[in-house]
Amino acid sequence: MSEFTVSGREDLYRLKTMRGLSRVVIRTERLIYRNLMAHALKYGLWALQPGGRLLVQDNSPNVFDLWPRFVSFKLIRQWTYKLTAGEADPLRLDTDKGEIELVRTRPPTPAGWGAGVVFSGQEAELPRLRACLDALLRQPELRPEQGGEILVCGPSGGEACLEGYPQVGYLAHDLPSGPRVMICRKKNALIRALKGPRIAILHSRVLLAPDTLRHVPEEFEIITPRVFTQSDGAREDYLSLGVHDTGLPGHVPRLTPSSLRRVPAERYLDLYARGLPYVDGGLFCVRKDVHERCPLNEAVAWDEAEDLEWCLRALAAGFLIDLAPQAEAVSAVAKLRASSLPPRLTRWLRGGKFAVQAGRHRLRDRAERWLGRR
């Protein structure tokens, strides 16, 4: 009998790579206060062989109190059954002992990948598109004999952009005219057209490393590779995984947003204690059946926090937003400035900058509330 016990972050890093276990035990004490129960439940189920047992052990009071920084066993039960729905069946609930036992029922996700590239159709974008496709064709998982598939989504009549790429398909999709770019419609169309159980969606500015997909876990729901940007010879983390402190962006935020530009990617689980996670829309991977249950919102346009809105709905539906830190990519276009300073010093300076900005906004909020303007 192969068994593994999870009680903290270091256990989760190890559990993420495990497969074929017969039993996983989750001890919740430290996990629940670091926003890591979803990781423990999902990683635990994915590490089990079908028919394997997952045991949740919790010593929280079985009450209905919703105090700040307090988690009751009633909430543990809600999280467990919600997050494992469709993955496992309940076996036993012992309220007195604080134990929940489940059995994995969902079979492993079958092999297969599809990749979709968002293309504007502009001639100036063609060199980036070709570089992006060259990088995708170096992924063994995307070879036709491996069940792989690559699609470019662009405007009608733009098929000429694939000259020299006979193994790549083209999906015509015309966006409505107007100042808003309805990018979610385009990405939804791409994901629905691709056949693989695992889908990677990226903009043409993103170049995957030759082994990017190999380092994405076999089991995931929504996940992002680690994206870098390069400027003046300096390479540093770009937009990939971030966190926000509120369920409605911009509605009474009280914490400072954070990302891998302020937390080392090797300790990415530290981010989750700071807020609600989201992946950047420039590159993400999603399981096909997850997208069917939670597609991108086609009423939201590019540059309207469409990626954050999607991830918040996915979180509410019980899906895991995650990072594959060993899977790397580079963005050829950067919205954020790179730094040539040592990474630790860069993170320290950025942390100070964010703290000053957050303090300024909090002071303004208090002043305007005192003056009756808010």
Side-chain angles (χ1 to χ4, degrees):
M1 179 178 182
S2 52
E3 179 177 312
F4 188 76
T5 300
V6 185
S7 61
R9 285 168 293 187
E10 296 307 314
D11 299 326
L12 288 174
Y13 291 126
R14 295 171 58 198
L15 180 63
K16 188 174 186 177
T17 64
M18 295 180 177
R19 294 294 179 269
L21 299 179
S22 58
R23 191 168 187 256
V24 172
V25 179
I26 298 173
R27 294 177 181 162
T28 68
E29 291 92 339
R30 286 182 291 167
L31 298 169
I32 55 179
Y33 293 106
R34 289 168 173 78
N35 201 20
L36 296 177
M37 268 300 289
H39 291 79
L41 291 166
K42 300 285 188 176
Y43 289 0
L45 283 173
W46 296 335
L48 289 170
Q49 59 190 4
R53 305 294 181 90
L54 182 74
L55 176 63
V56 179
Q57 295 179 331
D58 180 72
N59 58 9
S60 305
N62 187 43
V63 296
F64 240 147
D65 295 340
L66 297 175
W67 295 105
R69 304 186 187 277
F70 173 75
V71 178
S72 72
F73 184 58
K74 291 184 185 291
L75 284 177
I76 296 294
R77 287 162 50 191
Q78 182 207 96
W79 297 348
T80 298
Y81 293 126
K82 176 179 178 177
L83 289 163
T84 60
E87 302 267 350
D89 285 346
L91 281 181
R92 180 172 62 89
L93 170 63
D94 191 326
T95 303
D96 294 332
K97 290 185 177 180
E99 291 187 347
I100 305 169
E101 190 170 12
L102 308 104
V103 58
R104 175 174 176 171
T105 53
R106 191 180 73 85
T109 303
W113 273 92
V117 183
V118 177
F119 176 53
S120 69
Q122 297 177 4
E123 189 171 347
E125 194 181 339
L126 282 173
R128 289 207 307 269
L129 175 65
R130 295 188 181 111
C132 175
L133 292 176
D134 290 340
L136 287 173
L137 290 169
R138 287 193 287 268
Q139 307 294 317
E141 295 79 4
L142 293 175
R143 293 174 184 159
E145 60 269 24
Q146 299 293 330
E149 182 185 16
I150 303 174
L151 275 180
V152 172
C153 186
S156 298
E159 293 85 349
C161 70
L162 296 183
E163 185 177 351
Y165 294 92
Q167 59 277 71
V168 179
Y170 190 83
L171 176 66
H173 181 88
D174 294 310
L175 294 174
S177 60
R180 299 174 71 222
V181 180
M182 308 311 291
I183 194 73
C184 293
R185 297 186 188 181
K186 204 166 188 174
K187 291 179 179 177
N188 280 340
L190 257 177
I191 296 170
R192 288 167 182 148
L194 288 161
K195 301 179 181 67
R198 301 172 185 83
I199 306 294
I201 296 296
L202 63 159
H203 291 210
S204 61
R205 60 180 169 82
V206 177
L207 307 178
L208 301 189
D211 59 354
T212 297
L213 297 185
R214 179 168 67 85
H215 287 298
V216 175
E218 293 178 11
E219 298 286 358
F220 63 85
E221 289 175 334
I222 297 173
I223 198 168
T224 177
R226 183 182 181 185
V227 183
F228 293 92
T229 183
Q230 202 149 356
S231 175
D232 300 326
R235 174 174 133 155
E236 67 169 325
D237 280 289
Y238 187 47
L239 302 172
S240 46
L241 182 72
V243 296
H244 202 278
D245 72 307
T246 175
L248 291 171
H251 288 237
V252 289
R254 283 293 178 267
L255 303 175
T256 305
S258 192
S259 70
L260 295 183
R261 291 168 71 85
R262 295 180 59 213
V263 172
E266 297 76 19
R267 299 205 320 266
Y268 71 94
L269 290 177
D270 292 359
L271 262 180
Y272 291 82
R274 302 186 178 202
L276 301 173
Y278 64 95
V279 297
D280 177 62
L283 169 61
F284 63 83
C285 305
V286 60
R287 219 170 63 202
K288 179 98 173 190
D289 62 299
V290 170
H291 176 264
E292 288 173 358
R293 288 179 279 170
C294 186
L296 283 81
N297 190 334
E298 297 190 358
V300 181
W302 174 80
D303 207 27
E304 295 174 1
E306 80 286 354
D307 39 15
L308 177 55
E309 191 275 342
W310 177 51
C311 288
L312 289 171
R313 284 189 294 108
L315 284 171
F319 297 120
L320 181 67
I321 311 297
D322 204 9
L323 173 77
Q326 283 79 38
E328 297 183 354
V330 174
S331 176
V333 177
K335 303 175 187 176
L336 306 175
R337 287 182 294 178
S339 169
S340 58
L341 297 172
R344 183 174 295 181
L345 179 57
T346 298
R347 285 194 294 269
W348 184 82
L349 289 173
R350 284 204 178 113
K353 171 188 167 186
F354 271 83
V356 169
Q357 289 176 331
R360 178 168 59 87
H361 286 294
R362 288 192 183 102
L363 285 174
R364 178 179 177 180
D365 179 68
R366 290 183 183 179
E368 294 204 349
R369 286 177 188 273
W370 182 71
L371 293 171
R373 296 175 182 171
R374 291 191 179 183

